[in-house]
Amino acid sequence: MTAIAKAVMPVAGLGTRFLSVTKAVPKEMLPVLNKPLVQYAVEEAFAAGIEQILFVNGRGKNALEDFFDHAPELEARLAESGKTALLSRIESTVPAGGQFAFVRQTKPLGFGHAVLCAKNWVQNEPFAILLPDDLMMCDQPCIKQLADQYDLSMGNMAAVVDVAPHAVSAYGVLDIASQKGDLLQTKGVVEKPTTEQAPSTKAIIGRYILHPDIFKVLETQQPGVGGEIQLTDALSRMIPTHGLTGLLVHGHRFDCGSVEGMVEAQVAYGLRDPLMGEKIRASLMRWL
Ligand code: G1P
């Protein structure tokens, strides 16, 4: 089985749907319960055996680098006051030296361009992409579900969920040639179609495993929807040579890039929390 060792996390987005908080806090640092979104994505990647992560960030995202580093003063204080559980919780977020890398997307030219910024780091091996604002609640880590099936693809693979027809315009949507179990072979993919244009309701969510040839294609990719360089358009051009396999993933996806999705995630994770769940359930009843 092909081992996927590297993951790219594009985190340069402005998070305008969360203004005003995102004026000062990157959207990937917004917490669900007491953990930032980016940490859920990192834990998901590690649980799938991924060893190295590249963050493609932008201006105002320094909090992410600080989060994945030691905080000597805080650590010393927690040690002095004997708060060992808290101390090990914050120390566990610090990766081994060289395990995480950061590169800046200096111009906001789109998701496809953010992926292209990872070219020199990825080099010549298949790699994963995780978008941290898509929070996945799955028994088996979502990116592992893809990695386990990667050898059945011709090279490019994306996680897919079925969405309501009116919701397709927020996604890359598959034109399906055939289906075998949860695997969908595609003959096309369209970025953010209208309900009328959409070839199906099978929508790509923020988890991919891609062939490194994607970089050659992205280098010549013209801007698409929204005037941005779209990953979906590059994937579409590669279908004749590398295919595009969609995997209907098992689990639930929360769109934590939207306020609504974020609230839903807080409630769901809160209710499932072994320590707080019962209390939260009882207090939520008051509002129903
Ligand atoms: C991006 C992709 C889109 C995909 C989505 C998943 O869109 O361009 O194809 O369906 O992520 O979250 P964005 O959410 O950045 O607009």
Side-chain angles (χ1 to χ4, degrees):
M1 198 168 94
T2 312
I4 308 298
K6 292 181 176 176
V8 174
M9 295 197 192
V11 291
L14 295 177
T16 47
R17 283 183 282 178
F18 281 97
L19 283 172
S20 56
V21 64
T22 42
K23 253 179 91 180
V25 180
K27 65 174 172 167
E28 297 79 13
M29 286 304 296
L30 298 179
V32 169
L33 305 190
N34 58 359
K35 243 183 350 188
L37 290 171
V38 70
Q39 196 180 341
Y40 286 92
V42 164
E43 287 173 3
E44 181 185 328
F46 283 169
I50 288 167
E51 290 154 5
Q52 293 178 54
I53 299 178
L54 176 75
F55 297 89
V56 182
N57 61 13
R59 288 170 61 79
K61 299 276 181 165
N62 294 346
L64 284 158
E65 288 191 48
D66 291 341
F67 178 72
F68 291 115
D69 196 359
H70 282 289
E73 281 174 21
L74 177 61
E75 288 168 19
R77 277 227 206 153
L78 293 174
E80 274 162 29
S81 50
K83 294 186 170 151
T84 47
L86 276 181
L87 181 61
S88 59
R89 195 197 301 167
I90 65 160
E91 282 178 337
S92 71
T93 61
V94 181
Q99 203 176 11
F100 288 4
F102 297 83
V103 67
R104 279 246 176 145
Q105 183 188 17
T106 48
K107 285 185 188 161
L109 299 179
F111 179 28
H113 177 258
V115 174
L116 182 56
C117 292
K119 180 183 167 200
N120 291 335
W121 181 83
V122 169
Q123 299 198 0
N124 198 26
E125 58 186 288
F127 64 102
I129 298 178
L130 293 90
L131 298 180
D133 50 13
D134 274 340
L135 177 59
M136 301 301 300
M137 188 189 258
C138 304
D139 289 339
Q140 197 189 28
C142 182
I143 200 69
K144 184 168 182 351
Q145 295 180 39
L146 258 72
D148 285 351
Q149 302 285 335
Y150 182 68
D151 287 345
L152 294 176
S153 76
M154 283 163 67
N156 287 331
M157 206 171 183
V160 165
V161 295
D162 197 33
V163 298
H166 66 81
V168 286
S169 62
Y171 300 93
V173 179
L174 302 186
D175 190 356
I176 298 156
S178 65
Q179 177 165 3
K180 206 170 171 197
D182 294 325
L183 288 173
L184 308 168
Q185 291 308 332
T186 63
K187 51 182 184 221
V189 60
V190 192
E191 180 67 7
K192 299 189 171 61
T194 62
T195 306
E196 293 70 36
Q197 291 164 337
S200 77
T201 52
K202 301 291 184 281
I204 296 179
I205 53 169
R207 300 290 183 275
Y208 304 79
I209 296 183
L210 303 183
H211 192 281
D213 284 352
I214 189 78
F215 297 119
K216 276 185 255 161
V217 179
L218 282 170
E219 270 166 347
T220 60
Q221 188 59 52
Q222 296 303 306
V225 172
E228 296 190 342
I229 296 173
Q230 298 289 353
L231 180 68
T232 301
D233 295 341
L235 291 174
S236 169
R237 286 168 63 206
M238 287 177 79
I239 290 177
T241 49
H242 295 69
L244 173 61
T245 306
L247 176 70
L248 285 160
V249 288
H250 293 248
H252 191 83
R253 173 240 184 196
F254 297 95
D255 173 12
C256 290
S258 77
V259 177
E260 222 178 280
M262 183 59 131
V263 172
E264 196 191 337
Q266 304 286 359
V267 173
Y269 277 78
L271 289 173
R272 286 213 164 179
D273 186 88
L275 296 176
M276 297 182 284
E278 277 313 309
K279 236 171 148 181
I280 290 173
R281 185 181 307 275
S283 49
L284 281 180
M285 292 310 283
R286 183 181 319 156
W287 305 104
L288 294 173

